[in-house]
Every structure is written in C-alpha cells, then in structure tokens.
Amino acid sequence: MKKIILVVAILLAWALPIVSLAITNDNNSEQEPTVIKRQNGDLVAVFNSDGETRSPALYGSISKDDGKSWSGPYFILKSWDDSDLIENVNGELVLLAISDISGDGLVTLTSKDGLAWENKRKVTPTSINQEVGSIIQARDGYYYVSFSPSTSPPPAHVYVTRSRDLINWEVPVQVSEGNEAEIDSSLLQASDGTFYLAYNHYIKNQSNFSGVGHEIVIASSSDWKTWKTAHVVNTGGAGSSAMGINLKEISGRVTLFYDVYSTFYYVYLSQGVWSLPKILVQTGIRTADTILLSNGSLGLVYKYSYTDGRNGGSDILFLNLGKLDFSLSSLPPPPPPLPTESLILKLQEQIKALQEQVSKLQVEVSSTKTELEAVKTELKFTKALRLGTTGDEVKQLQEFLKQFPDIYPQGLITGYFGPLTEAAVRKFQEKQGIESIGVV
C-alpha cells in the first residue's frame, strides 16, 4: 500500500501543491538520504535510521515504479552519518559509508540486488575520523572518492582518491586550501570529461565548524589532480550552512543542488556561465538527494522534520518535482553598457595615446633616414678601413662620426683608425642594424 504524506509547501518552479510519498513512516528518526536510479529502472534509497526500534545504522528502500511506492526499510550496515551510492558499469551497486562500529572509517560495500550487501572494503587512505563525501565511477573505469576529516577544530580539507578495484587506493589529492573547514563534498564527471567537485566552505576559522559565514565552492579539474575554483555560491552568514550538496548533470548542464534553512536551491552551468541560485522548493527540506525519473522529471528524496516530534522527529520522503527550468532568466545579467559620454571620453583618450605613439615612430624613422643619407653622400672610400689604418679617408670617417656624440663622444680627427674609432664604428653599425664588426 502506498504511504502518502501531505506536506504544506510551496513549489516555486511550478506553483503546485506538493504531495510527498513516505519512504519511511515509523517511530525512528531518519536522515542523510542518498538515492540512485538503476539501469533496470529501480530507484534505490539509502539513509540513516535510529530511534525506538533501531540502533544507528544504514537502511535501504527500493521503488520499482518511479517512486510511487517503496519497500519497507531493510538493514545494510551499522553506521551513522553520510553515505553515497552508485551503480557501476557492470550493473553492481557500490555504497560508500562510514563503518563506525568496526572502526574501519570509510568503507565500500557492493550489492547485485540492493538487498544483500557484501565485500566490505576499507578505503585505505582514510581513517576512522574521516567523513563521506561522494563516490563516482569515471570514464577511465576508476572509482573516485571525495572525503574530508570530521575532526574539530579546523582546518579540515577536502581530498580525492581513486581505485581501479576498490581495494588499492592511490595517495589522496588535497583539493581545498586554507585554515578553515571544508566538508560535505560531491563529485561529478561531466559528459565532456571534466571533473567537478562541490564542497561546503566555512568562511572563518573558529574553534568548531560554526563559522561566521558559509559558501559552496565548485572546483573543476581535467585530470583529477590539479583543481581550480570554477564558481562560488554564497549561502549566507552564520547558521546558514548548506546541506544536501549534490552535483548532477541534467539535460547536458552541470547542476548543483543544495538546501539552506529548509529551502531547496539549484545552480547550473550554461555555455560557460553559472546561473543565479534558483529556489526550487520551500518546505522543511533538509539533506536531500536528486535523481532523474523515466519521464525526465526530477525526483527528490529528503529528510522531513516534524514540528510536533511525531515519528521519531523525522522521516524520509519522496517528491516528484517535474522538469527543471533552465530558462535564460536564471542567468546573471550582462554588465551594463558604459554611458555614452563616458565611452566617448575613453575612446578619445585611446586615440590620443595612439597618435602620440605614431608621432614618436615617425620621428625615429625620419632620423634613421637622415643618418643613412648622410652615410651615402659623405662616405666614399677607396679601401677598407679598419684598426691601424691611417690617411685622409680615416679623417673623413671621423668627421662623420663626430656628428653623433652618443656614438663618438671624443670627436677626435686624427687620421688614425684607433680603438676609439673602431668602437664608434661598431656602435654606429649596431644602431643601424648592421653586423657590428668595426670595419668600414
């Protein structure tokens, strides 16, 4: 039987009433869901559960009808906090989680049907005090995992590592920098092969992760080892930390989903420009994850907190949001044009500067021509003049060189081709772009 929960909310993109389907409806407290759509069409959700009838653990639920109904929760692993789930190229589910009970830190598990889980393996570069970011399988066949320390006080950085077989992991690469706290990361490889990593950045270093401001940093990389900041989303001041940070590729666009103060937002990349944050839903949504449904609609699995404390305080719900709006109205406006008067003044200044450069070049060209003409008319030698030569032709050469104090400052007319005359000839040849050999 379907479990339906009516949630009073505003769905801003379509202005329709929201009807959420309950994945859980019990006296336990659930949170931190992750969800994927399998190649066979099944939806698989994994979430934390703890309370009246359960100790802290990960549980799962499956829908075979695009989220219209869900199986009862089934146990997966004694754990708590975030998890992430993918389906690999072989159709096998891979779960990334924290194995708190055994002290293994971050681990992966695999499952063929989403019900029976096995092959628990430690992500070897991580330790017990690391927290889950996300896991993907890239085009090169490697599994990539992002994670960050959950220790306090900061700094806490985001790292990425990879493995071909979920057993042997490479040395982690640090993505974030600084002395602050960066956590809650999400990895994506876009269809063009570019890696994207989004994470929560607490702007000021504090004795804990409370901070005084928050932003989401989106970094990009072509090789997973060298990262640069592609975009920053400011989510507000103290207490406005984003949750449910999630990167997806929707209709060929890299899209970031996140929630702040129970409001669900998205930001997307279109033709090299990141859109402004757009509100998708306002309704007590925390720690959500998204999937594309069979008809292209967006499915949302999220934690809903009850104000009256019933059902252990929270449940995991499912919501069909329809198709996303990627209209141009979401893109930031282009920079305003310069006022006409300011533009004219700026162009006049540029023209004046160019005219001065042209005049300077004309003077230099004229001077060069004069010097060359003087050489042609005044210097008529019957033999080569070099160091040690004497006679009237040397005097003629020295008379010519005397016209240029910067070349022949001594100005001596001796009829003897000595070192000073040779140096002057070399300078003149160099100035005229001739090979400086000191022989005329």
Side-chain angles (χ1 to χ4, degrees):
M1 180 177 14
K2 297 178 184 176
K3 297 172 284 185
I4 299 177
I5 293 180
L6 295 177
V7 178
V8 178
I10 302 174
L11 183 58
L12 294 194
W14 299 271
L16 298 173
I18 295 178
V19 177
S20 291
L21 301 172
I23 297 177
T24 66
N25 186 13
D26 52 38
N27 292 326
N28 299 291
S29 175
E30 286 88 17
Q31 63 177 357
E32 308 283 5
T34 182
V35 64
I36 64 163
K37 179 182 176 182
R38 302 194 67 180
Q39 298 172 28
N40 64 7
D42 288 356
L43 308 184
V44 181
V46 175
F47 46 86
N48 300 145
S49 185
D50 180 28
E52 185 176 285
T53 61
R54 301 185 186 124
S55 58
L58 288 180
Y59 283 77
S61 182
I62 298 175
S63 172
K64 294 183 174 294
D65 52 13
D66 248 9
K68 298 181 181 66
S69 62
W70 294 82
S71 69
Y74 56 88
F75 173 82
I76 298 177
L77 174 73
K78 285 189 175 295
S79 176
W80 192 248
D81 211 343
D82 296 336
S83 61
D84 197 27
L85 183 64
I86 62 169
E87 184 177 28
N88 65 21
V89 294
N90 298 319
E92 186 177 45
L93 294 173
V94 181
L95 177 68
L96 177 70
I98 297 178
S99 182
D100 285 339
I101 306 304
S102 65
D104 289 333
L106 299 190
V107 296
T108 59
L109 295 91
T110 58
S111 174
K112 293 186 178 358
D113 58 7
L115 298 172
W117 293 85
E118 58 186 0
N119 299 322
K120 186 174 82 169
R121 303 182 180 103
K122 183 176 179 180
V123 181
T124 50
T126 67
S127 59
I128 191 171
N129 68 337
Q130 310 292 326
E131 73 166 27
V132 170
S134 62
I135 184 171
I136 62 171
Q137 188 176 30
R139 291 180 174 186
D140 58 10
Y142 278 90
Y143 295 95
Y144 290 81
V145 164
S146 68
F147 63 95
S148 55
S150 58
T151 54
S152 181
H157 297 297
V158 177
Y159 296 84
V160 175
T161 183
R162 72 174 184 174
S163 171
R164 175 72 74 178
D165 55 9
L166 298 176
I167 299 174
N168 301 296
W169 293 86
E170 296 187 20
V171 176
V173 173
Q174 180 178 319
V175 178
S176 61
E177 299 178 352
N179 296 316
E180 298 160 335
E182 290 91 13
I183 58 175
D184 299 330
S185 57
S186 176
L187 263 173
L188 170 73
Q189 187 181 36
S191 55
D192 65 359
T194 303
F195 289 94
Y196 290 91
L197 177 68
Y199 58 88
N200 203 346
H201 175 215
Y202 291 75
I203 294 174
K204 187 172 173 114
N205 187 7
Q206 298 287 302
S207 60
N208 52 46
F209 288 163
S210 60
V212 297
H214 305 271
E215 60 189 15
I216 300 173
V217 177
I218 304 175
S220 63
S221 173
S222 60
D223 60 4
W224 85 275
K225 291 187 176 181
T226 304
W227 296 83
K228 63 180 180 180
T229 299
H231 188 59
V232 176
V233 180
N234 192 328
T235 61
S240 59
S241 173
M243 301 185 74
I245 294 174
N246 206 305
L247 283 172
K248 305 281 186 182
E249 187 166 20
I250 310 290
S251 301
R253 297 174 177 88
V254 176
T255 306
L256 168 71
F257 297 96
Y258 63 98
D259 60 85
V260 178
Y261 288 133
S262 299
T263 299
F264 195 58
Y265 298 84
Y266 68 103
V267 172
Y268 60 90
L269 179 63
S270 178
Q271 298 179 348
V273 178
W274 289 92
S275 74
L276 299 171
K278 192 164 185 177
I279 297 177
L280 190 58
V281 186
Q282 285 181 319
T283 174
I285 288 180
R286 294 299 272 170
T287 61
D289 197 5
T290 55
I291 47 168
L292 272 181
L293 303 176
S294 299
N295 63 356
S297 296
L298 187 72
L300 182 69
V301 173
Y302 66 100
K303 167 192 172 182
Y304 182 78
S305 298
Y306 300 101
T307 56
D308 58 8
R310 62 191 166 98
N311 281 20
S314 62
D315 272 316
I316 303 298
L317 307 184
F318 172 79
L319 179 61
N320 186 329
L321 295 174
K323 295 183 179 180
L324 278 184
D325 176 17
F326 289 117
S327 63
L328 293 177
S329 61
S330 299
L331 297 177
L338 290 172
T340 303
E341 185 176 348
S342 299
L343 182 59
I344 291 174
L345 290 174
K346 188 172 182 180
L347 288 173
Q348 287 175 339
E349 291 174 357
Q350 292 175 348
I351 291 171
K352 184 179 178 181
L354 288 172
Q355 288 174 336
E356 291 174 352
Q357 291 180 17
V358 169
S359 297
K360 185 178 179 180
L361 289 172
Q362 287 174 337
V363 171
E364 292 178 355
V365 169
S366 177
S367 176
T368 301
K369 285 183 177 179
T370 300
E371 293 172 0
L372 289 175
E373 288 299 323
V375 171
K376 290 178 181 179
T377 58
E378 295 183 25
L379 301 182
K380 296 180 181 178
F381 304 128
T382 60
K383 60 182 178 180
L385 305 181
R386 55 170 53 89
L387 188 64
T389 305
T390 59
D392 291 336
E393 289 186 346
V394 175
K395 286 184 180 181
Q396 185 182 357
L397 173 62
Q398 291 170 335
E399 289 281 357
F400 171 77
L401 294 173
K402 186 178 179 180
Q403 300 177 73
F404 310 104
D406 59 323
I407 292 177
Y408 189 41
Q410 298 82 6
L412 299 175
I413 312 299
T414 63
Y416 172 68
F417 197 120
L420 296 179
T421 304
E422 182 185 53
V425 170
R426 288 182 181 276
K427 287 182 181 179
F428 183 83
Q429 289 172 331
E430 182 178 354
K431 186 175 180 181
Q432 300 305 318
I434 304 170
E435 185 179 2
S436 179
I437 60 176
V439 175
V440 178

